[in-house]
Amino acid sequence: RFVDLFCGIGGFHLAAQVAAGDLGIKALCVFASDIDPDCRDSYEANFGIKPAGDITEIPEKSIPDHDFLFAGFPCQSFSICGDRKGFEDARGTLFFDIARILKEKRPTAFLLENVKQLGSHDHGRTLRHIMRILESLGYHSQHRVLNALHFGLPQKRERIFIVGFREPRFFNWPRGIGPMKSLCQVLESEVPEFYYASHQIRENRLKK
């Protein structure tokens, strides 16, 4: 049983299904949440579950009991593409909604995801603060940056993952799966202008 916070269109959900299937068990989503109505519609189309809305308005006691918590909490306040205001940005404070749910529901384990820059934001103080909070909640946690490039995707997409368990245990971080697909195998030939990278992102790339 798992909950899927900031669920988007269901990346964690799909991964949970695949991982559970490999183990011969069933992964059951008992609660999902996302503030974006289009994401909620896509999630429902993909998995038959209608996610709840804004997590800040949902009492932690109302969330069903679960074994695992997944959360790709908003990254704009830590990303190089944003203003990097961290906890001073309302989106950056959404980690504390994860913390209040962990404190109340006490799942066996959790997996969180964010941009690589979370690790260096405010000279590392932001991540250290997050890890201290998780420790204070009784979780044994560790983090690592993984790159989608090493898992079959033709994209350098580095993300920090934080995994935690109520009981101390060894976690075997994945090492990648070998050769990636070529870019021509995944790109679409006709893409609406809406999906083009913003001017700010293009400028940042050119500067590098």
Side-chain angles (χ1 to χ4, degrees):
R1 292 161 59 88
F2 68 90
V3 299
D4 198 2
L5 307 181
F6 317 102
C7 62
I9 62 173
F12 268 131
H13 191 130
L14 181 61
Q17 287 183 332
V18 172
D22 290 344
L23 295 172
I25 59 177
K26 183 179 180 180
L28 176 63
C29 180
V30 296
F31 176 84
S33 171
D34 199 281
I35 198 171
D36 188 309
D38 292 329
C39 286
R40 295 199 298 268
D41 289 343
S42 295
Y43 196 97
E44 184 177 21
N46 287 337
F47 305 108
I49 299 170
K50 184 70 171 182
D54 188 349
I55 193 64
T56 66
E57 299 179 358
I58 300 172
E60 56 270 26
K61 291 183 182 296
S62 70
I63 295 175
D65 291 339
H66 51 278
D67 304 298
F68 296 93
L69 180 148
F70 301 119
F73 59 110
C75 63
Q76 295 93 332
S77 56
F78 307 110
S79 172
I80 58 173
C81 295
D83 294 328
R84 305 197 73 183
K85 292 184 177 180
F87 292 141
E88 295 178 8
D89 184 328
R91 293 169 297 186
T93 64
L94 290 169
F95 165 75
F96 300 109
D97 289 285
I98 298 172
R100 67 180 172 85
I101 294 168
L102 288 173
K103 182 178 181 179
E104 174 64 30
K105 307 308 294 189
R106 308 293 299 155
T108 300
F110 64 79
L111 180 61
L112 313 181
E113 177 266 346
N114 209 289
V115 292
K116 174 185 176 181
Q117 288 73 25
L118 176 64
S120 58
H121 182 264
D122 195 17
H123 305 286
R125 284 188 284 267
T126 299
L127 180 59
R128 288 195 294 272
H129 184 51
I130 287 173
M131 299 303 287
R132 283 195 297 268
I133 290 173
L134 295 172
E135 181 182 8
S136 72
L137 294 174
Y139 284 92
H140 303 267
S141 307
Q142 52 187 295
H143 58 83
R144 182 168 295 186
V145 173
L146 301 178
N147 191 341
L149 197 66
H150 301 145
F151 296 88
L153 296 180
Q155 179 187 24
K156 183 182 178 183
R157 189 175 183 86
E158 297 174 296
R159 292 293 182 268
I160 190 168
F161 290 86
I162 306 172
V163 62
F165 301 90
R166 275 207 324 247
E167 302 296 331
R169 59 164 293 171
F170 173 77
F171 182 73
N172 188 21
W173 289 95
R175 296 180 178 273
I177 60 174
M180 66 180 180
K181 292 182 179 180
S182 66
L183 195 59
C184 64
Q185 289 178 278
V186 298
L187 286 182
E188 296 185 15
S189 58
E190 297 183 10
V191 181
E193 186 72 23
F194 175 80
Y195 295 106
Y196 278 50
S198 69
H199 176 74
Q200 181 181 358
I201 292 175
R202 294 197 298 269
E203 286 294 317
N204 286 343
R205 293 295 181 263
L206 288 172
K207 290 177 182 178
K208 287 188 175 182

